[in-house]
Amino acid sequence: MTDVDVVIVNYKSAAHTVKCVDAVLAVARQDGVTAQVVVVNNGDDIKGFEAEVHGAGDAKVVMNPANFGFGAASNIGARLGTAPFILFLNPDAQLYPGSLRAFTSFLNAPNNAGVGIAGPEIRDMSGSVVPSCSRLPSRLDLIARSIGLHTLPRAGAGYPYTSLDEHAQSHAVGQVMGAALMIRRPLYEQLQGFDERFFLYYEDVDISARALMLGM
């Protein structure tokens, strides 16, 4: 059994996906973490895509006949693995050495046994930390965003992201961004994965909310 299954959903981002596969496998080797990479191609008709992915390293490739949405494609990929942890990773993400070891060590620590989902610090191309977590949205938050009130100063503070100061250390949050989200497989299976009614966006909010309802 591998330590972690890494699921990457591709749609109109083939070049990024290939680089991501290469980077994930390289980091896994450096970190001493065994990883299975599963790429789910969401109906993107790209000549030679499978060959390019396999050329980047040992990875499974699923070719969906159409764009099933992020949540559905992620569930397809997750079902192909058995590792205790599943990392859902955006194709344009770049893992750094030590990241997989940090992830697995954190979740394997006895004092973190109650943590079901974890997210890493995310940096942009310049190296600056970018917001990647927040509290869960209230009904008022969602209504405000639907009519544009969130653009007003201080409106919706803490949603969709917590302040950068709060990103400086590890702590409990309401939701983790789906761009890089690691979840314990038993919890993922108990939740029956992502809710596929969310085609794109908010599936990470939903699965975080359902995990919190279980106390994880």
Side-chain angles (χ1 to χ4, degrees):
M1 180 187 295
T2 55
D3 296 317
V4 58
D5 291 315
V6 182
V7 179
I8 304 168
V9 176
N10 175 74
Y11 182 70
K12 305 296 184 182
S13 54
H16 286 303
T17 298
V18 173
K19 290 180 181 178
C20 188
V21 170
D22 179 72
V24 168
L25 294 173
V27 169
R29 289 191 295 270
Q30 293 176 62
D31 287 4
V33 173
T34 55
Q36 173 181 262
V37 177
V38 181
V39 174
V40 183
N41 183 49
N42 240 353
D44 199 355
D45 187 13
I46 314 164
K47 185 177 181 180
F49 177 73
E50 286 185 84
E52 287 193 42
V53 171
H54 290 310
D58 185 16
K60 293 183 178 180
V61 180
V62 178
M63 300 293 286
N64 287 342
N67 185 356
F68 294 163
F70 176 81
S74 294
N75 288 341
I76 289 171
R79 285 195 289 266
L80 295 179
T82 58
F85 306 121
I86 311 167
L87 173 61
F88 297 99
L89 190 65
N90 272 10
D92 59 349
Q94 174 73 52
L95 289 185
Y96 285 92
S99 55
L100 287 178
R101 184 172 60 249
F103 251 139
T104 54
S105 296
F106 178 84
L107 288 174
N108 278 324
N111 58 322
N112 292 326
V115 178
I117 296 174
E121 179 180 83
I122 297 179
R123 294 179 178 268
D124 62 19
M125 293 295 290
S126 69
S128 300
V129 175
V130 297
S132 59
C133 59
S134 80
R135 60 177 171 78
L136 286 172
S138 65
R139 292 182 180 179
L140 185 59
D141 290 323
L142 298 176
I143 293 171
R145 289 185 66 80
S146 70
I147 60 178
L149 292 181
H150 64 289
T151 60
L152 298 176
R154 298 299 300 164
Y159 187 80
Y161 299 116
T162 55
S163 68
L164 286 180
D165 289 342
E166 294 181 78
H167 285 65
Q169 59 186 357
S170 297
H171 62 93
V173 297
Q175 66 180 77
V176 169
M177 185 189 290
L181 182 154
M182 184 174 282
I183 184 171
R184 297 180 187 274
R185 181 173 289 277
L187 174 61
Y188 172 85
E189 292 177 346
Q190 184 177 1
L191 296 172
Q192 298 182 323
F194 289 108
D195 188 332
E196 298 181 8
R197 291 174 295 180
F198 294 93
F199 185 82
L200 183 65
Y201 302 126
Y202 282 90
E203 64 284 312
D204 49 357
V205 180
D206 173 73
I207 200 168
S208 295
R210 288 188 287 126
L212 283 171
M213 289 177 66
L214 295 177
M216 299 292 287

